[in-house]
């Protein structure tokens, strides 16, 4: 079963999401029988597991890795970040939190601010460029739900700093432990991977499949927006300014499973986002699936096209 799930891009999270959605759609009360079953397999226990994933991520970030080739990587990641939030702000000013065409503000921010670090690493590894590994470290930092959550909640009124700090503390503790002793990093290296299937079930418990089918066209539209906004600015920066072949920029254009947690965190802090939670998760799931399949092929195609022109 695990081998089958690993053959599917992001399958360790997507398949459990689908199973959780099936249960929620057709047997909504099956797992709501009390703890520990309910807290483990429904959204009731999501905050705890997401906190653990943030902590495990922190243990894998090394100061020594961040120092290597930092300038090149920082420019690339900053370009993606600035464009993502600049366009998100414009979207908010034009359409508000309800958005347009069924795509809400929380959905657009969650997608535009996301990068699948694992997929990025898998794509760039064949190019053997040292700066790519520094970029990977920065992606791991910026792809966490902390930054998009702070951004989103700032539009719903004053920022709840206690909620923001509660997101940061697990990462900081993990970061400190991982840099004090490599054994902590080794111990928690596969921690997030082990939790993904359970977290996937919890995300699935928020999705009604009938609603998700209706959200597929919106999800596809969101993918198109994502590629236009993510690939073009970073690719031009990588090619024209940094004078690289562009593979690092294109490899960043994918949606990570962590993006699914952003609407949940925001809805916990700002109740107004609760109305868009289910549709946002459905649309992000579509983006996650499509970009995971398409981005590796898109990277190879554009890099080969660049090399042919030389």
């Amino acid at each position: 079963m695990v081998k089958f799930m690993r053959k599917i891009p992001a399958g360790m999270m997507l398949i459990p999401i689908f199973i959780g959605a099936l249960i929620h759609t057709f047997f909504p009360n099956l797992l709501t029988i009390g703890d520990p079953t309910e807290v483990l397999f429904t959204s009731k226990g999501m905050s705890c597991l997401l906190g653990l994933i943030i902590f495990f991520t922190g243990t894998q970030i090394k100061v020594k890795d961040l120092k290597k080739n930092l300038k090149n990587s920082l420019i690339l990641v900053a370009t993606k970040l600035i464009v993502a939030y600049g366009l998100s702000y414009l979207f908010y000013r034009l359409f508000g939190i309800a958005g347009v065409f069924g795509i809400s503000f929380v959905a657009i921010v969650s997608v535009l601010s996301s990068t699948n670090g694992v997929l990025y690493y898998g794509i760039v590894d064949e190019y053997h460029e040292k700066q790519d590994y520094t970029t990977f470290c920065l992606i791991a930092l910026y792809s966490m739900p902390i930054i998009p959550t702070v951004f989103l909640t700032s539009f719903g009124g004053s920022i709840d700093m206690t909620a923001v700090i509660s997101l940061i503390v697990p990462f900081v503790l993990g970061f400190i432990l991982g840099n004090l002793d490599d054994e902590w990093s080794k111990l928690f290296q596969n921690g997030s991977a082990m939790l993904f299937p359970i977290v996937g079930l919890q995300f699935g418990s928020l999705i009604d499949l009938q609603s998700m089918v209706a959200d597929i066209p919106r999800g596809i539209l969101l993918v198109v927006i994502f590629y236009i906004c993510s690939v073009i600015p970073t690719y031009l920066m990588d090619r024209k300014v940094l004078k690289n072949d562009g593979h690092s920029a294109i490899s960043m254009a994918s949606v990570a499973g962590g993006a699914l947690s952003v609407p949940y965190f925001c809805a916990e802090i700002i109740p107004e986002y609760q109305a868009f939670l289910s549709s946002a998760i459905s649309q992000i799931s579509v983006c996650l699936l499509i970009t995971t399949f398409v981005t590796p092929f898109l990277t190879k195609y554009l890099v080969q096209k660049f090399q042919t022109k030389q």
Side-chain angles (χ1 to χ4, degrees):
M1 184 181 293
V2 173
K3 289 181 179 179
F4 168 74
M5 291 171 69
R6 283 177 175 163
K7 288 180 180 179
I8 300 172
M12 295 302 290
M13 180 170 280
L14 283 177
I15 291 177
I17 286 175
F18 180 69
I19 294 172
L22 277 174
I23 294 172
H24 176 68
T25 301
F26 298 106
F27 309 100
N29 299 317
L30 182 64
L31 298 175
T32 56
I33 57 175
D35 298 334
T37 298
E38 189 170 346
V39 77
L40 186 60
F41 296 117
T42 71
S43 60
K44 185 178 178 181
M46 192 181 294
S47 293
C48 178
L49 295 194
L50 290 174
L52 283 172
I53 289 174
I54 292 172
F55 171 77
F56 294 149
T57 301
T59 65
Q60 305 306 304
I61 306 298
K62 301 293 185 181
V63 173
K64 59 183 179 181
D65 294 329
L66 288 174
K67 291 179 180 178
K68 298 176 183 176
N69 308 291
L70 184 60
K71 183 179 179 181
N72 185 96
S73 302
L74 189 60
I75 291 173
L76 203 57
V77 173
T79 299
K80 180 175 171 62
L81 189 66
I82 291 169
V83 170
Y85 292 121
L87 292 174
S88 296
Y89 175 76
L90 181 62
F91 184 93
Y92 174 81
R93 298 299 298 177
L94 291 173
F95 309 114
I97 64 171
V100 65
F101 300 130
I103 299 174
S104 64
F105 180 54
V106 69
I108 200 86
V109 173
S110 301
V111 168
L112 289 183
S113 64
S114 183
T115 292
N116 188 331
V118 176
L119 183 65
Y120 171 86
Y121 193 98
I123 296 172
V124 302
D125 192 47
E126 65 178 88
Y127 295 95
H128 307 294
E129 295 285 347
K130 290 183 179 179
Q131 66 261 24
D132 289 338
Y133 301 108
T134 308
T135 304
F136 172 73
C137 294
L138 292 175
I139 286 172
L141 284 169
Y142 125 92
S143 293
M144 293 170 54
I146 297 171
I147 298 177
T149 300
V150 171
F151 184 84
L152 280 161
T153 53
S154 67
F155 288 91
S158 59
I159 299 176
D160 185 347
M161 290 308 300
T162 303
V164 173
I165 292 170
S166 72
L167 284 171
I168 297 173
V169 167
F171 173 79
V172 173
L173 290 176
F175 180 75
I176 293 171
L177 285 177
N179 282 276
L180 285 176
D181 189 344
D182 283 340
E183 293 301 315
W184 287 114
S185 298
K186 294 176 183 176
L187 179 63
F188 297 124
Q189 186 173 8
N190 297 316
S192 295
M194 289 189 294
L195 292 179
F196 281 155
I198 304 298
V199 173
L201 282 171
Q202 293 178 338
F203 281 131
S205 71
L206 296 170
I207 297 174
D208 185 294
L209 284 175
Q210 294 176 338
S211 300
M212 185 175 181
V213 170
D215 273 316
I216 289 177
R218 301 184 186 102
I220 294 172
L221 176 59
L222 197 51
V223 169
V224 174
I225 295 171
F226 172 76
Y227 273 128
I228 292 172
C229 298
S230 295
V231 172
I232 295 176
T234 52
Y235 182 69
L236 291 175
M237 178 63 72
D238 205 15
R239 282 279 315 279
K240 303 299 183 182
V241 179
L242 301 176
K243 305 301 181 183
N244 299 317
D245 64 4
H247 73 265
S248 187
I250 310 165
S251 301
M252 292 169 61
S254 61
V255 177
L260 290 161
S261 65
V262 175
Y264 173 80
F265 277 130
C266 293
E268 287 287 296
I269 300 170
I270 306 294
E272 286 78 3
Y273 287 126
Q274 190 70 42
F276 311 105
L277 181 58
S278 179
S279 62
I281 290 177
S282 298
Q283 292 165 20
I284 295 168
S285 298
V286 174
C287 293
L288 171 60
L289 181 61
I290 294 176
T291 58
T292 302
F293 275 108
V294 172
T295 296
F297 296 101
L298 182 64
T299 303
K300 185 168 291 187
Y301 169 75
L302 290 178
V303 170
Q304 288 176 347
K305 187 174 181 180
F306 167 71
Q307 291 172 344
T308 302
K309 288 182 178 181
Q310 285 185 318

